[in-house]
Amino acid sequence: MRRTIFAGVGHYLPERVVTNQELEKLMDTSDEWIRERTGIVERRWVKEGDTVSGLALKASEMALERAKMTSADIDLIIFACMESDSEFPGGGCWLQEKLQIPGIPALDIRNQCSGFIYGLSVADQFIKTGHYNNILLVGAEIQSTSLDLTTGGRDMAVLFGDGAGAAVLTASENGERGVLTTHLHADGVYTKKLWAEWPSVTHHPRITPEMLETDRIYPKMEGRYVFKHAVTRFPEVIHEALEKTGYSIKDVDLVVPHQANLRITEAVAQRLGIGMDKMYSNIEKYGNTTAATIPICLSEAWKEGRIKEGSLVAIAAFGSGFTWASALIRW
Ligand code: ACO
């Protein structure tokens, strides 16, 4: 049976480390509040001039090297990101130009924190049907330049970081290993619970000097509301994957949840009935890097030996939309 396997995973984080103490100087917040409520200690921010596709390139190069492939082997790019280098085109074409592989398709996915799993599901269909053999799936984000760095925006500003992760996906006829199942969900009733309103196509011009004076140009979230939904949806969508494949949570070697908040990860572990030793977490170092989070985690977990050939890995995400998703992988 033809399945999709992870041939290589890679990641890249900008060098600039931004600690909670640094944020204390910009807004009324504290290291203690941020650690207690979120588990975040520091995050990475880009420098002036950095691009989403530039971060993605570095993550992709690592994934290709670990897969023992070059960009010439890739048949399709799938790029998950909230925002590209420009309003349009999307990140896929910007990355393609940097990888120097003209002509192959470049597909953009905009599903925020669930973007990588949405992309994995699309890639899996293409590989299983034999349409493509090698797919480069990337999640990359620059969040820091969109944040309100005043006290008014502190609930969002302390959470997010920049980064990129990538996976080279390939076909295997082995049948045992690979992506066993993927599950995607969304509910647009909740679009305004976590969103960035302006610039907007509903206005001409899309952005005005008056708009720039308001806080509606910054991402907004009803934090508690999002939190409550997240802790329900994560276990639900992981159970969906387990039920589909006939596995139990006890069979899973590692759960890699989207890193939104350490308190969410802990609540999910409790609801799943597993210890934190089975939950991967690196939020203390990077904060929430949206679509980049899961591939960064997979790359680090693989490097640390926590994911090996044969490991049963559950990945799950929840985010703006709302969107949520899961996948079960026999690595
Ligand atoms: N520093 C200090 N105080 C703060 C900060 C801060 N950074 N942010 C908020 N506060 C204050 C609030 O103003 C409030 O003060 P008040 O009581 O005087 O009104 C108090 O702290 C409590 O605020 P809450 O919002 O109730 O705090 P909560 O415990 O809910 O934590 C948080 C907030 C961390 C944002 C949490 O709600 C959360 O993690 N939500 C989910 C985030 C998430 O999952 N996002 C989804 C993915 S993101 C994506 O898809 C793009």
Side-chain angles (χ1 to χ4, degrees), residues 292-329:
T293 297
I294 288 181
I296 293 172
C297 288
L298 291 177
S299 177
E300 288 203 327
W302 177 83
K303 181 77 183 147
E304 291 159 11
R306 292 186 68 186
I307 296 178
K308 303 183 194 75
E309 192 171 319
S311 299
L312 189 61
V313 181
I315 61 176
F318 177 86
S320 164
F322 294 150
T323 59
W324 62 103
S326 69
L328 197 64
I329 304 151

Side-chain angles (χ1 to χ4, degrees), residues 29 33 37 113 154-155 158 194 223-224 260-261 264 288 319-320:
T29 190
W33 192 98
R37 305 280 180 133
C113 301
R154 65 184 177 177
D155 60 329
V158 302
L194 174 51
R224 290 202 163 193
N261 184 326
I264 293 178
N288 178 351
S320 164

